[in-house]
Amino acid sequence: LTMCCANNQPRYSRDSIAEFEVTTNRFDATMGRTMGMSVNAVTKSGTNTLSGTAAGYFRHDSLIAKDFIQDRVLPYEDQQYSVTLGGPLLLDRVHFFTNYEYEREPGTVTFNNTVFDFADLAATRNENKFGAKVDVQFSPNNRMAVRYNRYRNAIRNDGTGGAGNHPSGARDNNRYADQYFSEASQVLSTNTVNQIKVGIATNYFTLEPKAGYSTGENRRPPTSPQVFEGVTSGRAIEGGTPQIGYSGFTIGSATNTPQRTGEKNYSFRDDLTTSFQAGGRHDIKVGAEFIRYTMPQNWCNICDGQFTSNNRAPANLLSFMPDSFDASTWDLDGMNAAAPFRDYTVSIGNFAWTLKREIYAGWLQDDWQVSNKLTLNLGVRYDLDHGAHGEFIAFDPWLSGTRPSDSNNLAPRLGFAFAVDDRTVIRGGYGLFFTQLENDA
């Protein structure tokens, strides 16, 4: 489960996916927390035969045309490598599958300002995806699968370029994800199967300014709060400067950096499936799920200050910035004299916090084949997202910290399939679907 910041979600090697299923409407009660679509991906497993794959994909600027704005061929490369290997650890009993994919994209950030001439910045992106899976069959009735996935994506000199930005606005965007998952299946009888799934998923990203104060501790501006990769401990994120906003031109770090945003989720799910005859065939699915969701953040939101001017940037602006990436050399008084600042904004306080949610779900689904022509899909699902709306946050005098949770999310799922003849089937149904809070909820 991942719910924050769609562009920072973990990715998986395409060569590790065996198949995937996309359900776009009227899915049954076993699936929830979405009202639009559901995607189920199945990862590959090893077999009794040792086998693997290798693939490569390459691009180069010698094969592309001129950029329309820059009127030149922009430097560009992209190299991707992917390998997989799977096979037996113990014939017929234990199998493994591993995959690794690496992408190197040495891109370029360009500037096309008509007043100032800035050199290009290298913007290399390095992405690593790794996965390992072991399947164990203890007996004909009992089996288990354990899987680990790792994702790393480092993007250099992100967030700048174009006509309206100074190179000092560049930042490093680092994305991380680790997932641990296990599934145990037990055949209880000739018509009953139980599956237990347990997982831990972590996902976070950092936005780290390239410019800073070289004379300050960790290159942070004097008196500015530190921002840690681990929110309350761990590596301190360096860099950060005041932002200076002229009409049509911006200098310095983005006002939302440095930043560390992440998630950590613990999940447990139990699915019991059984079948029996009673006025036709009944396929029954009953289950429950629990997710412990935490979202720790350390977000410097204008904590390094922001100057704003109604004027255009002065033509001699660069003379006030001997070192574009060392704000301790910037002459703010000189900038103010050349093009007066209108105001100054700064946020003061504690910029680290953690949101916590407890997510529960339960469901009952009956796919009833009444006859060879008619099948009824009868289901009901209940969802509870405890803490999703900040019910326990106290902020006197406005929030008491004792507000009730939204607890009436009972969702019926009804459907039918009727075979008119051997070439025509009529399907229909009704369902109530509750989606989850997303992004920066």
Side-chain angles (χ1 to χ4, degrees):
L1 176 78
T2 49
M3 292 190 282
C4 165
C5 320
N7 64 316
N8 295 296
Q9 292 307 313
R11 300 175 183 176
Y12 306 90
S13 174
R14 286 167 290 188
D15 292 337
S16 69
I17 304 297
E19 60 182 88
F20 66 92
E21 175 188 51
V22 179
T23 306
T24 57
N25 60 11
R26 210 172 60 74
F27 36 84
D28 66 22
T30 63
M31 294 184 286
R33 293 190 302 281
T34 176
M35 59 184 179
M37 61 175 288
S38 176
V39 178
N40 181 43
V42 179
T43 53
K44 293 179 180 178
S45 296
T47 66
N48 278 337
T49 302
L50 184 67
S51 62
T53 64
Y57 175 76
F58 311 98
R59 291 178 61 187
H60 194 271
D61 53 42
S62 61
L63 302 175
I64 62 178
K66 289 184 178 180
D67 179 79
F68 180 77
I69 301 297
Q70 298 284 341
D71 193 31
R72 61 187 173 107
V73 174
L74 301 180
Y76 183 78
E77 298 177 57
D78 188 27
Q79 303 100 35
Q80 291 176 262
Y81 308 89
S82 175
V83 293
T84 68
L85 181 66
L89 294 175
L90 184 62
L91 286 175
D92 298 324
R93 298 290 297 274
V94 184
H95 302 88
F96 77 94
F97 178 84
T98 61
N99 67 275
Y100 176 73
E101 184 174 315
Y102 171 71
E103 181 175 5
R104 178 180 179 270
E105 187 179 16
T108 303
V109 173
T110 62
F111 301 86
N112 58 329
N113 190 281
T114 58
V115 178
F116 309 109
D117 185 19
F118 302 120
D120 294 347
L121 294 178
T124 300
R125 183 178 70 87
N126 290 283
E127 182 173 325
N128 291 270
K129 296 186 281 282
F130 169 77
K133 182 180 181 182
V134 175
D135 294 272
V136 182
Q137 182 163 321
F138 299 103
S139 69
N141 293 337
N142 293 276
R143 63 179 302 164
M144 173 179 284
V146 179
R147 187 182 75 231
Y148 169 71
N149 285 95
R150 177 185 178 93
Y151 167 72
R152 299 290 186 268
N153 194 3
I155 306 170
R156 300 295 173 249
N157 289 322
D158 182 35
T160 189
N165 293 308
H166 185 272
S168 59
R171 68 192 182 197
D172 288 346
N173 187 335
N174 299 301
R175 306 172 183 179
Y176 310 85
D178 292 278
Q179 296 181 327
Y180 307 84
F181 181 79
S182 64
E183 176 182 359
S185 301
Q186 183 179 19
V187 178
L188 301 177
S189 67
T190 56
N191 60 348
T192 304
V193 177
N194 190 63
Q195 286 185 314
I196 296 176
K197 300 175 182 178
V198 180
I200 302 174
T202 62
N203 167 42
Y204 72 95
F205 71 93
T206 63
L207 299 179
E208 308 188 19
K210 298 302 289 287
Y213 281 72
S214 63
T215 58
E217 184 180 359
N218 293 315
R219 297 175 47 247
R220 295 286 291 131
T223 73
S224 290
Q226 285 191 308
V227 175
F228 291 94
E229 185 180 60
V231 178
T232 56
S233 63
R235 177 180 66 90
I237 298 177
E238 297 185 359
T241 74
Q243 186 184 86
I244 303 171
Y246 294 102
S247 177
F249 192 69
T250 302
I251 299 170
S253 305
T255 56
N256 68 335
T257 62
Q259 182 183 157
R260 190 277 197 191
T261 298
E263 302 174 358
K264 189 170 187 179
N265 304 301
Y266 299 89
S267 63
F268 174 85
R269 177 179 174 126
D270 191 357
D271 289 273
L272 179 69
T273 303
T274 188
S275 301
F276 60 85
Q277 294 286 337
R281 177 185 172 92
H282 293 263
D283 293 321
I284 304 294
K285 302 174 185 177
V286 60
E289 184 175 43
F290 169 74
I291 298 171
R292 172 69 172 181
Y293 171 88
T294 58
M295 184 179 181
Q297 298 198 45
N298 202 339
W299 187 337
C300 170
N301 193 9
I302 323 182
C303 74
D304 294 337
Q306 180 183 38
F307 295 92
T308 306
S309 174
N310 289 332
N311 303 289
R312 299 187 67 84
N316 63 339
L317 173 66
L318 300 186
S319 66
F320 303 115
M321 305 176 65
D323 186 336
S324 293
F325 293 93
D326 182 1
S328 67
T329 70
W330 298 359
D331 182 3
L332 297 179
D333 289 335
M335 293 181 189
N336 184 46
F341 299 139
R342 182 190 69 205
D343 56 43
Y344 174 73
T345 304
V346 65
S347 298
I348 301 171
N350 180 9
F351 296 88
W353 72 94
T354 298
L355 305 179
K356 297 181 180 180
R357 295 157 63 179
E358 294 180 351
I359 303 170
Y360 303 86
W363 55 85
L364 174 63
Q365 179 72 33
D366 182 5
D367 296 322
W368 178 17
Q369 186 177 353
V370 181
S371 66
N372 291 333
K373 287 183 172 293
L374 177 63
T375 297
L376 299 179
N377 310 110
L378 311 174
V380 62
R381 179 185 178 91
Y382 178 73
D383 286 287
L384 174 64
D385 199 340
H386 207 39
H389 299 278
E391 300 95 305
F392 316 120
I393 296 176
F395 189 56
D396 294 329
W398 299 279
L399 297 178
S400 65
T402 58
R403 293 181 295 129
S405 297
D406 178 17
S407 58
N408 61 348
N409 300 328
L410 191 66
R413 309 284 172 85
L414 308 174
F416 72 90
F418 180 72
V420 179
D421 53 41
D422 58 357
R423 299 180 58 187
T424 306
V425 177
I426 300 174
R427 303 177 188 274
Y430 163 83
L432 188 61
F433 301 86
F434 293 94
T435 191
Q436 64 189 3
L437 287 178
E438 297 176 351
N439 296 318
D440 295 329

